[in-house]
């Protein structure tokens, strides 16, 4: 774009890095632009308010005021709100891009900068800005220059022809909704060529009959103020649903009567999908936090119950009493399993990752399904024998994913149908990652479970992964199946895609990343042989739950240990300071008020670097907890724990070499 024969466009560069400013300044000046520079947000705002640049290149990361806040203030100022802003950033996070676009940026350029890309994007957005100005100026002139309908249409076509280079769909229609002009952007967006579209009614080719109601108030707004803008749901020639940001301008003839409507539509389907996924991710994160809190409290409640049961086993006599105790223990363990499902959802469960072939898991599940599912359900497998990539995951959890989805498929086919399980290698590219906020570029193994059942209504698809949400009747489901699936898949670094149509069936696609390297961890093993009794060792038990403290103290004392009890971190530190030489092991809860477990442990380590510690965790996440605490604890016991588990781990710690 040579600006020697016309007014130069002015570009403001905002970057706190002098080298970046110098490089961009030279690049744009050599391209015949007038260049202004600022090294912080405040300076940029002052320059923009006085010089009114045609475009701003704005760095995201700056001290004092970052690029997002600078953009927000520029867009809230009437004098600068129309200046296009392109962010310069080294971040590839989808959430950051959505945030920037939502506050008014028109584009992103990712660092390190490529000269050709910078010039290309700058020229495109300057062209759009200049063309928009021209369009506005020509629309103003049309109000006084158009003498008849033919001249008006000719002028509209002339100005719209200038916009064929834009990706926006621009078209003109008359008072009867018949299309009179259709630009290249409209051809690309909707799939209709100009020859096919001109003369057609927009209501017939751009809208489904059930969406026409969204147009009811637009005509009245046009009549009142002469323009309208908002979001519309439309369809393409191929029948694909899209969402557009639409701007309508009413053009009158020389007599002042409504003559035609100029429409400019921008495809925002991908943006809306990302926004929806971002909001869904936030909601799921909040629900995960709630689930973790519930699980923690339930595990604290179940822990003393489990220990009381084992204490009662030594007291009760008679066959009926033993049956009652066994029944009680079975129900406590069932409750603990239910808590584990909640923790799967909140990604707080302990995992044992190994290299896996999904083929073997599928074949195992197939045998279970053939034995337990009705004969009216036809089970079809599609597994490539050679060259299926291996993944790195937890076989037990992935087995649960398969079973949960297959059981849902069975329930969706009460009168029979086909259940198909397929697996294949796929490569997720950058284009797909723009449609799914959880996807990353790279190799995946895709697991597909589909059925020919009743399908899932569109209005509940966004909610079906929420914990405790179910469409089944009371007593037929907990609502944890799909939330467990989502939690397990995310803990494996994967993501889930769902396709469903009412009365035609559903398909769940589970994408699991292919791992090239495998991390290993040192895991304590417990010998299940007879457990030796203590020899009078002094144990400090630290937990804010009185019932856990009392039951742990009682059981340890019955097994020849001495016990001190502390209800919080401060009391634990005080007791340990008094009895440093006598205390052999500290049993401590990770989550306590005032001073939590990790903080208490760090202080105890400063008092005695060789202290032996066993942690309690009501969240069940030994994996991540051990990584966080590193060498500060020997092991972490997930609640609820049995007496055998407590004594086994205690013996391991007592016999360990520090």
């Amino acid at each position: 774009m040579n600006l020697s024969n016309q007014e130069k466009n002015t570009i403001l560069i905002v970057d706190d890095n002098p080298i970046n400013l110098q490089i961009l300044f030279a690049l744009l000046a050599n391209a015949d632009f007038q260049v202004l520079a600022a090294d912080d947000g405040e300076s940029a705002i002052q320059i923009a308010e006085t010089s009114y640049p045609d475009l701003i290149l704005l760095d995201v990361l700056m001290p004092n005021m970052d690029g997002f806040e600078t953009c927000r203030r520029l867009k809230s100022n009437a004098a600068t709100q129309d200046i296009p802003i392109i962010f310069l950033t080294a971040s590839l996070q989808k959430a950051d891009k959505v945030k920037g676009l939502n506050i008014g940026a028109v584009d992103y350029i990712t660092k390190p900068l490529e000269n050709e890309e910078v010039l290309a994007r700058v020229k495109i957005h300057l062209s759009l800005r200049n063309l928009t100005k021209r369009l506005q100026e020509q629309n103003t002139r049309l109000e006084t220059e158009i003498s008849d309908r033919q001249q008006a249409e000719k002028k509209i076509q002339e100005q719209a022809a200038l916009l064929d280079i834009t990706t926006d769909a621009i078209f003109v229609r008359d008072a009867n909704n018949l299309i009179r002009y259709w630009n290249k952007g409209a051809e690309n967006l909707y799939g209709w060529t100009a020859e096919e579209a001109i003369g057609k009614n927009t209501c017939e080719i751009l809208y489904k009959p059930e969406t026409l109601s969204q147009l009811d108030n637009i005509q009245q707004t046009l009549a009142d103020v002469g323009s309208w803008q908002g979001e519309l749901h439309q369809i393409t020639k191929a029948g694909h649903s899209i969402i557009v940001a639409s701007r309508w301008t009413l053009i009158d003839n020389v007599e002042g009567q409504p003559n035609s409507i100029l429409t400019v539509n921008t495809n925002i389907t991908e943006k809306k999908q990302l926004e929806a996924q971002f909001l869904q991710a936030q909601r799921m994160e909040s629900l995960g936090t709630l689930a973790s809190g519930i699980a923690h409290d339930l595990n604290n409640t179940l822990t003393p119950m489990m220990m009381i049961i084992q204490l009662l086993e030594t007291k009760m006599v008679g066959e009926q009493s033993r049956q009652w105790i066994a029944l009680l223990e079975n129900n406590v363990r069932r409750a603990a399993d239910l808590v584990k499902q909640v923790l799967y959802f909140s990604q707080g469960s302990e995992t044992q990752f190994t290299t896996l072939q999904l083929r073997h898991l599928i074949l195992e599940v197939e045998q279970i399904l053939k034995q337990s599912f009705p004969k009216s359900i036809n089970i079809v497998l599609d597994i490539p024998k050679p060259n299926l990539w291996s993944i790195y995951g937890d076989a037990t959890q992935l087995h649960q994913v398969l079973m949960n989805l297959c059981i849902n498929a069975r329930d969706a086919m009460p009168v029979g149908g086909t259940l198909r399980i397929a697996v294949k290698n796929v490569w997720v590219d950058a284009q797909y990652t723009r449609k799914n906020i959880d996807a990353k570029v790279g190799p995946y193994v895709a697991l597909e479970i589909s059925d020919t059942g009743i399908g899932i209504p569109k209005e509940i698809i966004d909610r079906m992964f929420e914990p405790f949400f179910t469409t089944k009747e009371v007593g037929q489901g907990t609502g944890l199946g799909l939330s467990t699936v989502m939690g397990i898949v995310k803990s494996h670094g994967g993501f889930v895609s769902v396709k469903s149509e009412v009365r035609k069936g559903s398909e769940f696609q589970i994408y699991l990343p292919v791992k090239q390297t495998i991390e290993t961890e040192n895991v304590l093993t417990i010998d299940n042989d007879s457990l030796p009794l203590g020899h009078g060792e002094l144990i400090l038990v630290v937990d804010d739950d009185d019932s856990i403290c009392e039951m742990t103290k009682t059981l340890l004392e019955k097994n020849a240990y001495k016990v001190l009890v502390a209800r919080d971190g401060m009391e634990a530190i005080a007791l340990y300071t008094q009895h440093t030489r006598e205390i052999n092991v500290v049993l401590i809860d990770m989550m306590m008020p005032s001073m939590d477990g990790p903080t208490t442990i760090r202080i105890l380590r400063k008092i005695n670097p060789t202290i032996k510690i066993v942690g309690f965790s009501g969240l069940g996440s030994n994996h991540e907890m051990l990584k966080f605490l590193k060498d500060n604890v020997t092991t972490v016991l997930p609640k609820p724990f049995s007496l055998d588990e407590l004594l086994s781990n205690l013996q391991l710690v007592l016999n360990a070499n520090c």
Side-chain angles (χ1 to χ4, degrees):
M1 182 171 71
N2 193 333
L3 302 177
S4 58
N5 297 323
Q6 57 182 344
E7 184 181 355
K8 292 184 179 181
N9 287 118
T10 301
I11 300 176
L12 170 60
I13 308 169
V14 187
D15 198 314
D16 63 316
N17 188 313
I19 297 177
N20 290 345
L21 279 178
Q22 184 178 359
I23 293 173
L24 283 173
F25 194 100
L27 173 65
L28 296 172
N30 288 337
D32 213 15
F33 292 104
Q34 183 175 347
V35 185
L36 303 173
D39 59 1
D40 60 50
E42 291 288 351
S43 300
I45 293 171
Q46 292 176 5
I47 293 173
E49 290 175 343
T50 56
S51 300
Y52 304 105
D54 298 293
L55 186 141
I56 299 175
L57 295 177
L58 177 58
D59 188 27
V60 171
L61 294 178
M62 296 187 297
N64 300 327
M65 183 191 301
D66 65 10
F68 292 132
E69 178 60 23
T70 304
C71 179
R72 190 177 291 108
R73 289 178 57 177
L74 287 169
K75 291 300 176 181
S76 63
N77 188 335
T80 58
Q81 64 183 1
D82 293 328
I83 301 174
I85 296 175
I86 299 176
F87 275 127
L88 307 176
T89 178
S91 172
L92 296 176
Q93 296 295 322
K94 293 291 187 298
D96 286 345
K97 290 189 176 183
V98 171
K99 178 180 178 181
L101 294 173
N102 279 340
I103 62 178
V106 298
D107 205 352
Y108 267 83
I109 303 178
T110 305
K111 296 180 181 178
L113 304 176
E114 296 288 341
N115 290 353
E116 293 182 357
E117 181 186 10
V118 172
L119 289 176
R121 291 180 183 267
V122 166
K123 289 176 181 179
I124 286 173
H125 288 290
L126 284 176
S127 296
L128 291 174
R129 178 173 172 80
N130 292 336
L131 289 170
T132 300
K133 287 181 178 179
R134 267 193 238 175
L135 180 60
Q136 293 171 344
E137 292 169 359
Q138 290 182 11
N139 282 341
T140 302
R141 286 199 299 269
L142 282 173
E143 294 178 0
T144 58
E145 294 176 359
I146 294 177
S147 59
D148 53 35
R149 176 171 179 170
Q150 289 74 23
Q151 185 179 2
E153 291 181 352
K154 182 180 178 180
K155 287 289 184 181
I156 293 171
Q157 291 178 5
E158 288 176 355
Q159 66 182 23
L162 297 174
L163 297 175
D164 269 345
I165 63 171
T166 183
T167 57
D168 287 343
I170 302 174
F171 54 92
V172 178
R173 52 212 162 97
D174 61 21
N176 296 317
N177 267 343
L178 300 181
I179 297 171
R180 296 304 179 193
Y181 174 76
W182 190 261
N183 81 330
K184 292 292 183 182
E187 290 185 355
N188 295 333
L189 178 58
Y190 296 107
W192 298 94
T193 65
E195 291 76 13
E196 293 171 326
I198 291 176
K200 296 284 180 60
N201 191 310
T202 56
C203 294
E204 296 176 357
I205 67 171
L206 299 185
Y207 302 95
K208 293 181 179 180
E210 59 268 25
T211 64
L212 287 174
S213 59
Q214 63 186 321
L215 306 177
D216 291 345
N217 298 324
I218 297 179
Q219 293 294 344
Q220 185 59 47
T221 303
L222 280 174
D224 292 341
V225 299
S227 64
W228 175 89
Q229 63 179 8
E231 295 179 4
L232 294 174
H233 291 262
Q234 297 181 330
I235 57 171
T236 65
K237 182 180 180 181
H240 298 145
S241 297
I242 60 173
I243 304 174
V244 298
S246 188
R247 285 86 73 197
W248 296 24
T249 302
L250 185 63
I251 300 175
D252 297 338
N253 61 18
V254 70
E255 289 82 18
Q257 297 300 316
N259 189 47
S260 56
I261 301 172
L262 171 66
T263 302
V264 181
N265 287 346
T266 303
N267 187 5
I268 59 171
T269 307
E270 186 175 305
K271 175 186 174 184
K272 300 299 288 186
Q273 289 173 343
L274 286 173
E275 287 178 351
Q277 291 181 40
F278 182 63
L279 291 174
Q280 175 72 359
Q282 286 184 316
R283 185 164 68 247
M284 295 294 281
E285 182 179 354
S286 299
L287 290 170
T289 302
L290 173 63
S292 295
I294 294 173
H296 175 264
D297 291 343
L298 285 174
N299 280 331
N300 272 350
T301 303
L302 293 173
T303 298
M305 294 172 63
M306 184 74 76
M307 290 189 287
I308 289 173
I309 289 170
Q310 293 185 307
L311 183 61
L312 290 175
E313 285 177 343
T314 64
K315 303 290 186 181
M316 303 295 285
V317 294
E319 182 63 26
Q320 188 177 38
S321 296
R322 286 193 293 271
Q323 289 178 356
W324 289 346
I325 291 295
L327 179 63
L328 180 58
E329 182 176 3
N330 181 57
N331 279 277
V332 170
R333 293 190 183 276
R334 284 179 60 189
D337 289 339
L338 183 61
V339 174
K340 286 181 180 179
Q341 289 197 42
V342 175
L343 288 172
Y344 279 137
F345 160 72
S346 62
Q347 303 182 48
S349 60
E350 183 179 2
T351 54
Q352 296 179 358
F353 279 63
T354 58
T355 302
L356 296 174
Q357 268 284 334
L358 282 182
R359 177 190 300 111
H360 305 314
L361 280 178
I362 294 172
L363 293 176
E364 290 176 6
V365 169
E366 180 196 22
Q367 296 302 315
I368 298 173
L369 301 183
K370 286 183 176 180
Q371 295 172 6
S372 59
F373 277 23
K375 301 300 181 183
S376 58
I377 294 179
N378 181 32
I379 300 172
V380 178
L381 301 187
D382 183 2
I383 308 174
K385 292 184 179 179
N387 303 324
L388 184 64
W389 292 332
S390 296
I391 65 167
Y392 186 54
D394 185 293
T396 301
Q397 291 187 12
L398 294 177
H399 186 278
Q400 185 175 8
V401 168
L402 272 166
M403 287 302 301
N404 283 359
L405 293 177
C406 289
I407 289 171
N408 281 355
R410 177 203 65 188
D411 295 342
M413 299 183 289
V415 295
T418 299
L419 169 61
R420 180 176 177 271
I421 305 175
V423 64
K424 60 184 178 181
N425 300 329
V426 297
W427 181 270
V428 172
D429 56 21
Q431 182 178 359
Y432 187 88
T433 62
R434 290 195 293 268
K435 299 178 182 178
N436 193 306
I437 197 170
D438 295 317
K440 297 179 180 178
V441 174
Y444 286 79
V445 175
L447 174 65
E448 299 176 357
I449 296 92
S450 60
D451 62 68
T452 57
I454 58 177
I456 305 169
K458 289 184 178 179
E459 58 268 19
I460 69 169
I461 282 184
D462 290 339
R463 294 196 60 201
M464 63 185 180
F465 288 107
E466 295 180 5
F468 308 112
F469 176 80
T470 179
T471 58
K472 297 179 181 179
E473 295 181 3
V474 176
Q476 295 186 4
T478 63
L480 287 171
L482 288 179
S483 62
T484 299
V485 168
M486 179 63 77
I488 292 174
V489 173
K490 283 193 173 184
S491 72
H492 283 69
F495 60 95
V496 182
S497 176
V498 183
K499 300 176 183 176
S500 185
E501 190 172 347
V502 175
R503 294 188 295 276
K504 291 189 177 180
S506 303
E507 179 181 289
F508 286 78
Q509 297 176 327
I510 309 297
Y511 291 83
L512 299 169
V514 175
K515 296 287 187 181
Q516 302 300 325
T517 59
I518 298 175
E519 299 178 358
T520 59
E521 295 189 32
N522 294 324
V523 180
L524 284 176
T525 57
I526 298 174
D527 185 359
N528 289 322
D529 294 339
S530 58
L531 299 172
L533 297 175
H535 297 88
E537 294 93 338
L538 181 59
I539 311 298
L540 174 59
V541 178
V542 188
D543 200 306
D544 62 303
D545 190 296
D546 290 339
S547 58
I548 293 177
C549 285
E550 292 305 318
M551 284 309 306
T552 304
K553 180 177 185 296
T554 300
L555 291 174
L556 288 177
E557 288 177 345
K558 284 184 174 292
N559 286 274
Y561 291 98
K562 297 177 182 178
V563 181
L564 291 174
V565 173
R567 262 68 180 186
D568 56 44
M570 294 299 296
E571 187 178 353
I573 293 168
L575 283 173
Y576 191 80
T577 303
Q578 298 172 21
H579 304 277
T580 303
R581 294 182 180 276
E582 300 99 278
I583 293 175
N584 299 97
V585 178
V586 176
L587 306 180
I588 184 168
D589 185 31
M590 292 297 102
M591 292 186 64
M592 296 183 294
S594 301
M595 181 183 293
D596 62 9
T599 303
T600 306
I601 290 170
R602 283 193 289 269
I603 297 174
L604 292 175
R605 277 285 180 188
K606 290 182 179 180
I607 298 173
N608 179 12
T610 63
I611 187 173
K612 295 182 177 182
I613 298 175
V614 175
F616 297 155
S617 172
L619 295 179
S621 182
N622 297 9
H623 234 52
E624 296 301 321
M625 190 70 73
L626 281 171
K627 287 182 181 179
F628 176 74
L629 294 172
K630 295 182 179 179
D631 298 328
N632 288 331
V633 297
T634 308
T635 186
V636 176
L637 269 177
K639 295 178 181 179
F641 50 82
S642 66
L643 175 61
D644 291 347
E645 291 169 337
L646 175 61
L647 295 179
S648 297
N649 280 271
L650 189 54
Q651 284 295 317
L652 284 170
V653 172
L654 285 169
N655 296 325
N657 294 321
C658 293

